[in-house]
Amino acid sequence: MSKYKTLGFIGGDRRQLYVISGLAEDGYNISVFGIDEGLGATDKIRLCSDVCDVVSSSDAIVLPVPYSSVLCGDNINTPLSRGEIRFAELSSAIDTYGTGLILAGRADERLRALECCGALKVIDYMEREELAVLNAIPTAEGAIKLAMNELPVTIHGSECLVTGFGRVSKILCRALYGLGAKVTVSVRKKGDLAYIKAFGYEGADITKPLEAPKRYDIIFNTVPHLIIDRGMLGALRSDTLVIDLASKPGGVDFEAAKELGRNVIWALSLPGKTAPMTAGNIIRDTINNILSEQER
């Protein structure tokens, strides 16, 4: 018999609705607080009155992705709740009741410090390779959807620049290329440039100024540090669309973009916005994998 019989969920967006319903189907009992929309009580799902109710009744705690953010301040991420949940409430509940495991998206030092307060282990499920690779698919599709909504032209025939060549970039480039876009990928490593050439894309050195920057209709950034600076923004056409897919602090000088009147979108958490069922099922499978490993 698994030692993780009841999972406690605190906060989350529409992805968590599918994670919760999926794990309930898998046989877990679920305790929930901080989700007031789209979820009802069942024989497997119990809606709790507060954070302490969740923590005291659960063998493991599942927090959303991101579990908190700059916009949340000191609060847990609860976009589907009418109220707020302060991080201190979670910390106090863990200190009082303890728990064996905390699973969260984008765990930071503040959350990991709870390991000293009775949480034996904190695991960031977003760092799991099986999640990161599959999560890149809805991210890429969401980015293309954004571009289609913003641009007066088709993706087919558009000049697209993608910075970086990680998981998201690889899937994004493949999708853009399949739609008939002209794809250039800007990278640092010579090995990446070789793959880029093999896949039929054009390569560029990310450490050097762009050649013919005004040719680009769309720029997708996937690098989580400053890549698209004031100089690069100033060299682009005024109607070039820039979509930043990187997590905080992002890869665009947003202040310069505003001053220059550039169209920049910082597209965070795209999977939860464009494909919550797919993204939720990916998280569900990853949590099942983690719990199975913790049993060994």
Side-chain angles (χ1 to χ4, degrees):
M1 180 69 69
S2 171
K3 64 181 178 181
Y4 301 106
K5 300 182 181 68
T6 301
L7 305 180
F9 281 76
I10 301 173
D13 58 22
R14 289 190 297 158
R15 283 173 287 191
Q16 289 310 74
L17 301 179
Y18 295 101
V19 180
I20 290 167
S21 60
L23 289 171
E25 290 175 4
D26 294 335
Y28 295 99
N29 295 310
I30 309 292
S31 295
V32 183
F33 181 65
I35 297 179
D36 301 328
E37 301 173 19
L39 193 67
T42 70
D43 60 334
K44 284 290 185 180
I45 300 173
R46 186 172 72 91
L47 304 183
C48 295
S49 57
D50 54 33
V51 172
C52 288
D53 192 6
V54 173
V55 174
S56 63
S57 63
S58 303
D59 304 308
I61 303 300
V62 181
L63 300 178
V65 52
Y67 91 91
S68 187
S69 68
V70 174
L71 295 177
C72 298
D74 291 330
N75 299 330
I76 304 297
N77 187 20
T78 57
L80 299 182
S81 174
R82 291 180 291 274
E84 296 181 344
I85 302 175
R86 298 189 65 80
F87 181 81
E89 295 177 55
L90 173 65
S91 178
S92 176
I94 295 293
D95 190 39
T96 301
Y97 299 103
T99 188
L101 185 64
I102 295 177
L103 306 178
R106 310 293 184 205
D108 56 15
E109 292 181 2
R110 179 179 66 168
L111 185 62
R112 295 189 186 281
L114 293 182
E115 291 183 336
C116 301
C117 303
L120 298 181
K121 185 177 291 188
V122 173
I123 296 177
D124 188 338
Y125 52 78
M126 290 300 291
E127 293 181 351
R128 298 277 297 201
E129 186 70 9
E130 71 268 36
L131 187 151
V133 170
L134 293 177
N135 209 50
I137 297 171
T139 300
E141 289 189 7
I144 292 172
K145 180 181 178 182
L146 268 179
M148 287 178 169
N149 290 340
E150 289 287 324
L151 290 174
V153 297
T154 60
I155 297 295
H156 185 279
S158 295
E159 289 276 3
C160 299
L161 173 68
V162 181
T163 58
F165 201 54
R167 303 179 190 97
V168 170
S169 177
K170 286 181 174 71
I171 291 173
L172 176 60
C173 289
R174 181 172 177 266
L176 290 169
Y177 191 75
L179 288 170
K182 301 171 185 176
V183 180
T184 300
V185 192
S186 181
V187 294
R188 187 183 306 271
K189 297 178 182 178
K190 300 299 182 184
D192 285 341
L193 284 171
Y195 273 109
I196 289 162
K197 183 177 180 180
F199 291 145
Y201 318 139
E202 185 177 333
D205 188 335
I206 205 168
T207 65
K208 298 179 180 178
L210 284 176
E211 294 183 8
K214 293 190 181 299
R215 75 179 190 172
Y216 294 110
D217 301 297
I218 322 167
I219 296 178
F220 298 92
N221 175 62
T222 67
V223 181
H225 56 81
L226 186 59
I227 294 294
I228 304 175
D229 57 16
R230 179 180 292 271
M232 183 173 173
L233 287 164
L236 300 174
R237 296 198 320 262
S238 61
D239 63 342
T240 297
L241 173 64
V242 179
I243 297 178
D244 192 355
L245 301 173
S247 56
K248 64 179 184 179
V252 178
D253 186 333
F254 298 105
E255 184 176 342
K258 185 176 181 179
E259 292 174 4
L260 293 167
R262 296 296 185 256
N263 186 7
V264 175
I265 300 173
W266 195 4
L268 296 174
S269 299
L270 276 179
K273 296 171 183 175
T274 61
M277 179 184 289
T278 297
N281 286 334
I282 293 168
I283 295 172
R284 165 196 179 180
D285 291 343
T286 302
I287 289 176
N288 269 320
N289 292 343
I290 292 171
L291 295 178
S292 294
E293 290 169 6
Q294 296 306 304
E295 296 283 356
R296 298 171 188 169

